[in-house]
Amino acid sequence: MAYVIGNDCIACGTCIDECPVGAISEGDIYSINPDACTECGTCADVCPNEAISLP
Ligand code: SF4
Ligand code: SF4
């Protein structure tokens, strides 16, 4: 199970620099590579729009 970025993403870019394993990619809505995510939760903590969660 990996964290997932939902439609509330406003592409602010805050999360991408905080991921310790580089699992996050840019886009109109940012995305998380489920094979790389270690479920540390850091991205969810820093997202200003609460767009990242564990499904
Ligand atoms: S939960 Fe941690 S490892 Fe997974 S995408 Fe977020 S910051 Fe990266
Ligand atoms: S911090 Fe949240 S709103 Fe900003 S790019 Fe990441 S998922 Fe999207």
Side-chain angles (χ1 to χ4, degrees):
M1 190 73 69
Y3 277 73
V4 172
I5 299 176
N7 291 333
D8 288 338
C9 175
I10 55 174
C12 70
T14 302
C15 58
I16 196 167
D17 292 330
E18 301 294 332
C19 178
V21 296
I24 301 176
S25 299
E26 294 179 6
D28 292 337
I29 291 175
Y30 278 43
S31 60
I32 294 172
N33 178 350
D35 295 324
C37 176
T38 60
E39 304 172 35
C40 71
T42 303
C43 56
D45 289 340
V46 300
C47 178
N49 218 34
E50 297 184 1
I52 308 177
S53 62
L54 264 182

